[in-house]
Amino acid sequence: MAGDLREIFAVDVTAARYMCAGCTHTDAVATLMVWQHSPGLVARCPHCSDVVLRVVRAPDRVYLDLRGSVRLEVPLEGS
């Protein structure tokens, strides 16, 4: 999933922290459990197994669904 997210964001999103909308567990995006057998990538919370984000690639765009995350904290370069 890191490679797919790298195409969308100019920063390493795996270092960003998410808050699960289901259980409010907060951790780095890199700790999410990823399923690749869907039409795209599905990342689940390691604490409650709720879906936190989805990434689906089409030939000309990428769909990013973050509705399972309350927020995404992205560290800025140099901080």
Side-chain angles (χ1 to χ4, degrees):
M1 182 176 270
D4 291 295
L5 292 175
R6 185 70 179 167
E7 285 186 316
I8 302 169
F9 295 99
V11 297
D12 180 9
V13 179
T14 60
R17 296 180 62 79
Y18 69 91
M19 178 185 280
C20 176
C23 70
T24 68
H25 176 75
T26 302
D27 209 339
V29 169
T31 66
L32 293 169
M33 300 179 300
V34 178
W35 274 255
Q36 298 179 4
H37 301 292
S38 303
L41 301 172
V42 176
R44 294 181 174 270
C45 175
H47 191 256
C48 72
S49 296
D50 278 3
V51 174
V52 174
L53 65 92
R54 297 170 187 89
V55 178
V56 176
R57 296 178 61 99
D60 62 340
R61 65 192 72 217
V62 175
Y63 297 92
L64 180 62
D65 179 351
L66 291 165
R67 80 182 102 175
S69 178
V70 173
R71 68 173 178 255
L72 189 63
E73 301 170 23
V74 179
L76 298 175
E77 199 170 307
S79 54

